[in-house]
Amino acid sequence: MAKRDYYEVLGVQKNVNEAELKKAYRRLAMKYHPDRNESSTEAEEKFKEAKEAYDVISNPQKRAAYDQYGHAGVDQQAGFGGSQGGADFGDIFGDMFGDIFGGGAGRGSQNRAYRGADLQYNLQLTLEEAVFGTEKNIDVTSKQSCETCSGSGAEPGSEMETCSTCGGAGQVRMQQGFFSVQQTCPKCHGRGKIITNPCQRCHGTGAVERKRTLSVKVPAGVDTGDRIRLANEGEAGTNSGPAGDLYVQIHVKQHAIFERDGEHLHCEIPISFVTAAIGGEVEIPTLDGKLMLKIPAESQTGKQFRLRGKGVKPVRGGAQGDLYVHAVIETPVNLNKEQKELLNRFNDSLQEGEKRHNPKSDGWGAGVKSFFDDLKFWSK
Protein backbone atom coordinates (compact mmCIF):
# COMPACT_ATOMS: atom_id res chain seq x y z
CA MET A 1 0.00 0.00 0.00
CA ALA A 2 1.40 3.37 -1.04
CA LYS A 3 2.38 5.72 1.73
CA ARG A 4 0.48 8.95 2.18
CA ASP A 5 2.21 12.26 1.76
CA TYR A 6 3.90 13.19 5.05
CA TYR A 7 2.55 16.72 4.97
CA GLU A 8 -0.94 15.32 4.44
CA VAL A 9 -0.45 12.91 7.34
CA LEU A 10 0.43 15.79 9.68
CA GLY A 11 -2.25 18.08 8.24
CA VAL A 12 0.19 20.90 7.43
CA GLN A 13 1.35 22.87 4.40
CA LYS A 14 4.79 22.44 2.85
CA ASN A 15 5.90 25.84 4.15
CA VAL A 16 5.04 24.93 7.77
CA ASN A 17 7.43 26.30 10.38
CA GLU A 18 8.93 24.34 13.27
CA ALA A 19 6.47 25.53 15.92
CA GLU A 20 3.38 24.75 13.83
CA LEU A 21 4.86 21.39 12.85
CA LYS A 22 5.45 20.37 16.45
CA LYS A 23 1.97 21.55 17.43
CA ALA A 24 0.34 19.48 14.66
CA TYR A 25 2.33 16.40 15.64
CA ARG A 26 1.47 16.73 19.32
CA ARG A 27 -2.21 16.94 18.47
CA LEU A 28 -2.08 13.70 16.44
CA ALA A 29 0.09 11.91 18.99
CA MET A 30 -2.34 12.73 21.77
CA LYS A 31 -5.29 11.65 19.66
CA TYR A 32 -3.90 8.29 18.51
CA HIS A 33 -1.67 7.35 21.44
CA PRO A 34 -2.08 3.61 22.22
CA ASP A 35 -2.67 4.29 25.90
CA ARG A 36 -5.77 6.23 24.90
CA ASN A 37 -6.89 3.76 22.26
CA GLU A 38 -6.42 0.33 23.77
CA SER A 39 -6.92 -2.61 21.39
CA SER A 40 -7.28 -0.23 18.42
CA THR A 41 -5.04 -1.36 15.57
CA GLU A 42 -6.11 1.58 13.42
CA ALA A 43 -5.11 4.12 16.08
CA GLU A 44 -1.74 2.41 16.54
CA GLU A 45 -1.06 2.55 12.81
CA LYS A 46 -2.00 6.23 12.62
CA PHE A 47 0.24 6.92 15.59
CA LYS A 48 3.20 5.22 13.88
CA GLU A 49 2.43 7.01 10.61
CA ALA A 50 2.43 10.41 12.34
CA LYS A 51 5.69 9.58 14.13
CA GLU A 52 7.39 8.57 10.90
CA ALA A 53 6.18 11.71 9.11
CA TYR A 54 7.34 13.97 11.90
CA ASP A 55 10.78 12.33 12.10
CA VAL A 56 11.34 13.18 8.47
CA ILE A 57 9.79 16.65 8.22
CA SER A 58 11.40 17.85 11.47
CA ASN A 59 14.87 16.98 10.15
CA PRO A 60 16.10 19.72 7.74
CA GLN A 61 18.27 17.37 5.64
CA LYS A 62 15.62 14.65 5.34
CA ARG A 63 12.92 17.24 4.69
CA ALA A 64 14.92 18.65 1.77
CA ALA A 65 15.43 15.16 0.35
CA TYR A 66 11.77 14.31 0.78
CA ASP A 67 10.63 17.55 -0.87
CA GLN A 68 12.81 16.75 -3.90
CA TYR A 69 12.49 12.96 -4.26
CA GLY A 70 9.47 12.00 -2.14
CA HIS A 71 9.53 8.82 -0.07
CA ALA A 72 12.40 7.41 -2.14
CA GLY A 73 14.66 10.18 -0.97
CA VAL A 74 14.57 9.31 2.75
CA ASP A 75 15.36 6.32 4.90
CA GLN A 76 12.10 4.50 5.38
CA GLN A 77 13.12 3.24 8.81
CA ALA A 78 14.50 6.50 10.12
CA GLY A 79 11.39 7.21 12.05
CA PHE A 80 12.01 4.24 14.36
CA GLY A 81 15.79 4.17 14.58
CA GLY A 82 16.28 6.23 17.72
CA SER A 83 19.10 8.69 17.11
CA GLN A 84 18.50 8.70 13.36
CA GLY A 85 15.20 10.55 13.73
CA GLY A 86 14.65 14.26 13.56
CA ALA A 87 14.30 14.53 17.36
CA ASP A 88 14.35 12.28 20.40
CA PHE A 89 10.84 11.13 21.28
CA GLY A 90 11.26 11.92 24.96
CA ASP A 91 12.54 15.42 24.13
CA ILE A 92 9.44 16.25 22.10
CA PHE A 93 6.98 15.32 24.82
CA GLY A 94 9.03 15.88 27.94
CA ASP A 95 7.74 19.41 28.44
CA MET A 96 4.16 18.35 27.74
CA PHE A 97 3.98 15.31 30.05
CA GLY A 98 6.52 16.30 32.69
CA ASP A 99 3.89 17.37 35.19
CA ILE A 100 1.73 14.32 34.55
CA PHE A 101 4.52 11.83 35.23
CA GLY A 102 6.12 13.54 38.20
CA GLY A 103 7.02 17.06 37.19
CA GLY A 104 10.27 18.64 36.07
CA ALA A 105 11.17 16.30 33.24
CA GLY A 106 13.61 18.73 31.69
CA ARG A 107 17.36 18.17 31.68
CA GLY A 108 19.57 19.85 34.22
CA SER A 109 16.96 19.60 36.98
CA GLN A 110 19.30 17.86 39.42
CA ASN A 111 18.95 19.43 42.87
CA ARG A 112 16.29 21.72 41.50
CA ALA A 113 15.20 24.42 43.96
CA TYR A 114 11.52 24.71 44.77
CA ARG A 115 9.77 27.73 46.21
CA GLY A 116 8.08 27.27 49.57
CA ALA A 117 4.32 27.29 50.02
CA ASP A 118 2.39 30.52 50.61
CA LEU A 119 0.51 30.87 53.89
CA GLN A 120 -2.56 32.85 54.99
CA TYR A 121 -3.31 34.45 58.34
CA ASN A 122 -6.74 35.87 59.23
CA LEU A 123 -6.39 39.14 61.14
CA GLN A 124 -9.35 40.61 63.04
CA LEU A 125 -9.44 44.41 63.35
CA THR A 126 -11.75 46.91 64.98
CA LEU A 127 -13.27 49.56 62.74
CA GLU A 128 -11.06 52.19 64.33
CA GLU A 129 -7.91 50.13 63.66
CA ALA A 130 -8.92 49.61 60.05
CA VAL A 131 -9.72 53.28 59.49
CA PHE A 132 -6.68 54.82 61.17
CA GLY A 133 -4.15 52.03 60.63
CA THR A 134 -2.28 50.11 63.27
CA GLU A 135 0.59 47.72 63.89
CA LYS A 136 -0.12 44.19 65.07
CA ASN A 137 2.03 41.32 66.28
CA ILE A 138 0.89 37.94 65.00
CA ASP A 139 2.07 34.43 65.87
CA VAL A 140 2.64 32.18 62.87
CA THR A 141 3.64 28.51 62.93
CA SER A 142 5.22 27.27 59.71
CA LYS A 143 7.93 25.04 58.29
CA GLN A 144 11.26 26.83 58.30
CA SER A 145 14.71 25.77 57.16
CA CYS A 146 16.45 23.63 59.76
CA GLU A 147 19.26 25.65 61.34
CA THR A 148 21.15 22.53 62.40
CA CYS A 149 21.68 21.14 58.88
CA SER A 150 21.08 24.40 56.97
CA GLY A 151 18.15 22.76 55.18
CA SER A 152 20.15 19.88 53.66
CA GLY A 153 18.48 17.20 55.79
CA ALA A 154 21.83 15.55 56.53
CA GLU A 155 23.52 15.44 59.91
CA PRO A 156 26.29 18.06 60.02
CA GLY A 157 29.65 16.52 59.07
CA SER A 158 28.09 13.60 57.19
CA GLU A 159 28.16 13.11 53.44
CA MET A 160 25.34 12.17 51.10
CA GLU A 161 25.65 9.33 48.61
CA THR A 162 24.87 9.47 44.92
CA CYS A 163 21.45 7.98 44.23
CA SER A 164 21.84 4.52 42.70
CA THR A 165 18.47 4.71 40.95
CA CYS A 166 19.08 7.82 38.86
CA GLY A 167 22.88 7.94 39.05
CA GLY A 168 22.77 11.42 40.55
CA ALA A 169 20.70 12.93 37.72
CA GLY A 170 17.59 13.36 39.84
CA GLN A 171 15.52 12.07 36.93
CA VAL A 172 14.66 8.63 35.60
CA ARG A 173 13.44 7.70 32.14
CA MET A 174 10.27 5.67 31.98
CA GLN A 175 8.52 3.96 29.11
CA GLN A 176 4.79 4.74 28.85
CA GLY A 177 3.64 2.68 25.88
CA PHE A 178 5.30 4.35 22.90
CA PHE A 179 6.23 7.35 25.02
CA SER A 180 9.63 7.61 26.62
CA VAL A 181 9.46 10.27 29.28
CA GLN A 182 11.46 11.48 32.21
CA GLN A 183 10.18 11.94 35.72
CA THR A 184 11.54 12.88 39.11
CA CYS A 185 13.46 10.03 40.68
CA PRO A 186 11.15 8.35 43.21
CA LYS A 187 14.04 7.38 45.47
CA CYS A 188 15.91 10.68 45.91
CA HIS A 189 12.96 12.95 44.91
CA GLY A 190 15.05 14.87 42.41
CA ARG A 191 18.03 15.58 44.67
CA GLY A 192 20.36 13.12 43.02
CA LYS A 193 21.73 12.35 46.48
CA ILE A 194 20.63 9.99 49.25
CA ILE A 195 20.85 11.02 52.90
CA THR A 196 22.52 8.20 54.78
CA ASN A 197 22.72 9.99 58.12
CA PRO A 198 19.59 12.13 58.58
CA CYS A 199 19.71 15.27 60.68
CA GLN A 200 18.47 14.49 64.18
CA ARG A 201 16.75 17.86 64.46
CA CYS A 202 14.57 17.68 61.30
CA HIS A 203 14.76 13.89 60.70
CA GLY A 204 16.07 14.42 57.19
CA THR A 205 13.33 16.72 55.94
CA GLY A 206 15.46 19.87 56.01
CA ALA A 207 12.64 21.84 57.67
CA VAL A 208 11.17 22.15 61.15
CA GLU A 209 7.94 23.58 62.53
CA ARG A 210 8.69 26.89 64.16
CA LYS A 211 6.50 29.50 65.84
CA ARG A 212 7.42 33.06 65.01
CA THR A 213 6.08 36.44 66.05
CA LEU A 214 5.81 38.83 63.13
CA SER A 215 4.95 42.52 63.09
CA VAL A 216 2.29 43.57 60.60
CA LYS A 217 1.90 47.21 59.64
CA VAL A 218 -1.74 47.78 58.72
CA PRO A 219 -2.19 50.88 56.53
CA ALA A 220 -5.05 53.26 57.21
CA GLY A 221 -8.25 52.62 55.27
CA VAL A 222 -8.12 48.84 54.86
CA ASP A 223 -11.39 46.92 54.74
CA THR A 224 -12.61 43.35 54.96
CA GLY A 225 -11.20 41.35 52.04
CA ASP A 226 -7.96 43.32 51.72
CA ARG A 227 -4.71 41.37 51.93
CA ILE A 228 -1.30 42.40 53.18
CA ARG A 229 1.64 40.48 51.68
CA LEU A 230 4.66 39.71 53.81
CA ALA A 231 7.30 38.58 51.33
CA ASN A 232 9.37 35.47 52.17
CA GLU A 233 7.49 34.86 55.42
CA GLY A 234 5.77 31.70 54.21
CA GLU A 235 7.14 28.16 54.38
CA ALA A 236 10.77 27.46 53.54
CA GLY A 237 11.70 26.28 50.06
CA THR A 238 13.48 23.02 49.29
CA ASN A 239 17.03 22.64 47.98
CA SER A 240 17.77 26.25 48.96
CA GLY A 241 14.71 27.49 47.10
CA PRO A 242 13.11 30.80 48.14
CA ALA A 243 10.53 30.88 50.90
CA GLY A 244 6.88 31.46 50.12
CA ASP A 245 4.91 34.54 51.14
CA LEU A 246 2.52 35.14 54.02
CA TYR A 247 -0.78 36.79 53.14
CA VAL A 248 -2.57 38.54 56.00
CA GLN A 249 -6.31 38.52 55.28
CA ILE A 250 -8.17 41.46 56.83
CA HIS A 251 -11.51 40.99 58.62
CA VAL A 252 -13.11 44.08 60.22
CA LYS A 253 -15.34 43.38 63.21
CA GLN A 254 -18.91 44.68 63.38
CA HIS A 255 -19.12 48.06 65.12
CA ALA A 256 -21.66 48.96 67.79
CA ILE A 257 -22.52 52.31 66.16
CA PHE A 258 -21.18 52.62 62.65
CA GLU A 259 -21.72 50.54 59.53
CA ARG A 260 -19.13 50.88 56.80
CA ASP A 261 -19.91 51.02 53.09
CA GLY A 262 -16.62 51.46 51.26
CA GLU A 263 -15.31 54.90 52.14
CA HIS A 264 -18.62 55.98 53.70
CA LEU A 265 -19.99 55.40 57.20
CA HIS A 266 -23.63 55.12 58.30
CA CYS A 267 -25.24 55.36 61.70
CA GLU A 268 -28.72 55.80 63.18
CA ILE A 269 -29.54 58.35 65.88
CA PRO A 270 -32.72 58.36 68.01
CA ILE A 271 -34.53 61.72 68.08
CA SER A 272 -37.40 62.57 70.41
CA PHE A 273 -40.64 63.38 68.66
CA VAL A 274 -40.60 66.83 70.27
CA THR A 275 -37.18 67.64 68.79
CA ALA A 276 -38.30 66.19 65.47
CA ALA A 277 -41.41 68.41 65.53
CA ILE A 278 -39.99 71.74 66.63
CA GLY A 279 -36.29 71.25 65.81
CA GLY A 280 -33.23 71.31 68.01
CA GLU A 281 -29.75 69.90 68.34
CA VAL A 282 -28.50 66.40 69.18
CA GLU A 283 -25.03 65.14 69.98
CA ILE A 284 -23.69 62.55 67.57
CA PRO A 285 -20.46 60.51 67.54
CA THR A 286 -17.90 60.54 64.74
CA LEU A 287 -14.56 58.80 64.43
CA ASP A 288 -12.94 62.16 65.18
CA GLY A 289 -15.02 62.81 68.31
CA LYS A 290 -18.42 64.26 69.19
CA LEU A 291 -20.24 67.09 67.44
CA MET A 292 -23.66 68.75 67.56
CA LEU A 293 -26.06 68.11 64.70
CA LYS A 294 -28.86 70.59 64.01
CA ILE A 295 -32.23 68.93 63.51
CA PRO A 296 -34.67 71.01 61.48
CA ALA A 297 -38.32 71.25 62.53
CA GLU A 298 -40.80 68.72 61.13
CA SER A 299 -38.12 66.03 60.56
CA GLN A 300 -39.40 62.53 59.86
CA THR A 301 -38.01 59.06 60.53
CA GLY A 302 -35.52 58.12 57.82
CA LYS A 303 -34.35 61.67 57.20
CA GLN A 304 -30.70 61.52 56.23
CA PHE A 305 -28.01 63.96 57.25
CA ARG A 306 -24.70 64.00 55.39
CA LEU A 307 -21.50 65.04 57.12
CA ARG A 308 -18.84 65.52 54.47
CA GLY A 309 -15.34 64.23 55.15
CA LYS A 310 -16.33 62.31 58.27
CA GLY A 311 -16.00 58.90 56.65
CA VAL A 312 -12.93 56.83 55.71
CA LYS A 313 -9.84 57.73 53.71
CA PRO A 314 -9.50 54.85 51.16
CA VAL A 315 -6.31 52.82 51.48
CA ARG A 316 -5.71 53.07 47.72
CA GLY A 317 -6.14 56.84 47.64
CA GLY A 318 -8.99 59.15 46.78
CA ALA A 319 -11.22 61.58 48.63
CA GLN A 320 -12.26 60.83 52.19
CA GLY A 321 -15.79 59.47 52.49
CA ASP A 322 -18.78 60.93 54.33
CA LEU A 323 -20.80 60.03 57.40
CA TYR A 324 -24.52 59.53 56.80
CA VAL A 325 -26.71 59.97 59.87
CA HIS A 326 -30.20 58.44 59.67
CA ALA A 327 -32.85 59.87 61.99
CA VAL A 328 -35.11 57.49 63.92
CA ILE A 329 -38.00 59.20 65.72
CA GLU A 330 -38.32 57.64 69.16
CA THR A 331 -41.75 56.99 70.68
CA PRO A 332 -41.82 57.78 74.42
CA VAL A 333 -42.49 54.84 76.76
CA ASN A 334 -43.52 54.32 80.41
CA LEU A 335 -45.79 57.39 80.42
CA ASN A 336 -47.62 58.30 83.61
CA LYS A 337 -51.26 59.40 83.81
CA GLU A 338 -50.51 63.09 83.56
CA GLN A 339 -48.27 62.64 80.52
CA LYS A 340 -50.91 60.57 78.77
CA GLU A 341 -53.55 63.24 79.42
CA LEU A 342 -51.22 65.90 78.01
CA LEU A 343 -50.65 63.83 74.91
CA ASN A 344 -54.40 63.29 74.45
CA ARG A 345 -55.03 67.02 74.66
CA PHE A 346 -52.14 67.59 72.27
CA ASN A 347 -53.58 65.05 69.83
CA ASP A 348 -57.01 66.69 70.04
CA SER A 349 -55.42 70.01 69.18
CA LEU A 350 -53.80 68.45 66.12
CA GLN A 351 -57.19 67.39 64.78
CA GLU A 352 -58.26 71.01 64.66
CA GLY A 353 -55.50 71.76 62.15
CA GLU A 354 -56.66 68.92 59.87
CA LYS A 355 -54.17 68.20 57.07
CA ARG A 356 -51.80 70.92 58.17
CA HIS A 357 -50.41 68.77 61.02
CA ASN A 358 -50.60 65.24 59.64
CA PRO A 359 -50.08 65.41 55.86
CA LYS A 360 -48.79 61.84 55.54
CA SER A 361 -51.58 60.32 57.65
CA ASP A 362 -54.27 62.18 55.73
CA GLY A 363 -52.68 61.24 52.40
CA TRP A 364 -52.39 57.59 53.45
CA GLY A 365 -56.04 57.59 54.60
CA ALA A 366 -57.17 58.94 51.25
CA GLY A 367 -55.23 56.20 49.50
CA VAL A 368 -56.85 53.49 51.63
CA LYS A 369 -60.33 54.87 50.91
CA SER A 370 -59.61 54.89 47.17
CA PHE A 371 -58.38 51.28 47.38
CA PHE A 372 -61.57 50.01 49.00
CA ASP A 373 -63.74 51.98 46.58
CA ASP A 374 -61.95 50.32 43.67
CA LEU A 375 -62.29 46.93 45.35
CA LYS A 376 -66.06 47.35 45.65
CA PHE A 377 -66.28 48.30 41.96
CA TRP A 378 -64.40 45.23 40.73
CA SER A 379 -66.31 42.87 43.04
CA LYS A 380 -69.67 43.81 41.50
Side-chain angles (χ1 to χ4, degrees):
M1 182 177 179
K3 288 187 177 182
R4 288 200 299 158
D5 180 78
Y6 284 152
Y7 292 103
E8 180 185 344
V9 170
L10 297 172
V12 297
Q13 300 296 323
K14 284 192 174 184
N15 61 349
V16 64
N17 58 37
E18 182 179 354
E20 293 174 343
L21 178 65
K22 184 178 289 188
K23 183 178 179 181
Y25 176 45
R26 284 178 175 175
R27 183 172 62 251
L28 292 173
M30 289 289 290
K31 181 177 180 181
Y32 296 115
H33 187 265
D35 288 350
R36 291 191 169 190
N37 301 272
E38 295 183 5
S39 303
S40 175
T41 304
E42 182 182 359
E44 183 177 352
E45 290 301 320
K46 287 184 177 294
F47 181 82
K48 291 180 180 180
E49 185 182 41
K51 173 67 169 63
E52 180 180 334
Y54 179 77
D55 282 345
V56 171
I57 304 303
S58 63
N59 184 298
Q61 291 76 23
K62 292 182 180 181
R63 182 174 180 175
Y66 178 77
D67 288 345
Q68 186 172 0
Y69 301 108
H71 292 292
V74 295
D75 181 4
Q76 301 290 333
Q77 302 301 319
F80 303 95
S83 61
Q84 299 298 318
D88 182 72
F89 199 59
D91 293 342
I92 298 171
F93 291 94
D95 56 338
M96 182 166 62
F97 294 104
D99 292 338
I100 299 176
F101 296 110
R107 289 179 171 81
S109 57
Q110 178 179 352
N111 295 325
R112 180 179 178 182
Y114 292 90
R115 182 177 180 274
D118 292 334
L119 299 177
Q120 179 173 303
Y121 183 94
N122 294 323
L123 181 60
Q124 299 280 343
L125 297 176
T126 65
L127 178 62
E128 290 82 358
E129 290 172 333
V131 171
F132 296 114
T134 185
E135 188 167 345
K136 290 279 190 178
N137 289 331
I138 61 175
D139 293 328
V140 179
T141 301
S142 61
K143 290 182 179 180
Q144 298 298 309
S145 179
C146 177
E147 297 177 351
T148 303
C149 65
S150 300
S152 69
E155 186 70 15
S158 65
E159 294 184 358
M160 293 188 288
E161 295 181 355
T162 300
C163 176
S164 59
T165 300
C166 64
Q171 302 287 321
V172 292
R173 183 174 291 276
M174 296 187 66
Q175 192 74 24
Q176 299 284 338
F178 282 89
F179 284 98
S180 178
V181 297
Q182 285 182 312
Q183 73 173 64
T184 301
C185 177
K187 187 174 182 180
C188 67
H189 305 291
R191 288 188 174 188
K193 300 286 185 179
I194 297 295
I195 299 173
T196 57
N197 187 11
C199 172
Q200 296 181 13
R201 176 78 172 88
C202 65
H203 306 290
T205 63
V208 293
E209 291 280 347
R210 186 180 304 151
K211 184 177 181 179
R212 299 173 297 148
T213 299
L214 303 176
S215 178
V216 181
K217 292 183 178 180
V218 181
V222 296
D223 200 358
T224 295
D226 288 335
R227 294 197 309 175
I228 300 173
R229 174 176 170 264
L230 301 183
N232 302 320
E233 295 295 352
E235 291 195 341
T238 57
N239 293 334
S240 301
D245 299 330
L246 173 65
Y247 289 92
V248 180
Q249 191 81 28
I250 300 298
H251 297 273
V252 181
K253 301 175 185 177
Q254 186 174 0
H255 197 272
I257 298 174
F258 299 107
E259 182 177 341
R260 183 173 175 178
D261 179 18
E263 70 271 26
H264 302 304
L265 295 175
H266 296 262
C267 74
E268 292 183 345
I269 56 168
I271 300 175
S272 71
F273 83 97
V274 175
T275 301
I278 64 176
E281 287 188 332
V282 295
E283 184 179 77
I284 64 168
T286 72
L287 292 177
D288 297 326
K290 301 177 182 179
L291 57 80
M292 299 303 295
L293 178 65
K294 185 176 181 181
I295 306 298
E298 301 179 359
S299 294
Q300 305 293 325
T301 289
K303 183 175 178 59
Q304 179 175 278
F305 301 90
R306 179 183 181 185
L307 281 67
R308 295 183 181 273
K310 293 298 182 181
V312 182
K313 180 74 173 178
V315 67
R316 295 174 181 82
Q320 186 158 343
D322 304 324
L323 170 61
Y324 291 90
V325 179
H326 305 269
V328 178
I329 311 304
E330 189 173 36
T331 302
V333 297
N334 300 323
L335 301 177
N336 58 34
K337 183 178 180 180
E338 180 181 0
Q339 290 169 331
K340 291 179 180 179
E341 290 177 352
L342 288 172
L343 283 177
N344 281 324
R345 291 203 300 271
F346 173 70
N347 188 55
D348 292 339
S349 67
L350 291 179
Q351 305 307 315
E352 298 174 2
E354 299 178 350
K355 297 181 181 180
R356 292 189 300 111
H357 302 307
N358 300 293
K360 287 189 176 181
S361 295
D362 290 332
W364 183 81
V368 170
K369 182 178 183 302
S370 176
F371 168 75
F372 282 112
D373 288 343
D374 291 342
L375 190 64
K376 291 178 180 178
F377 173 78
W378 289 108
S379 61
K380 291 180 180 181

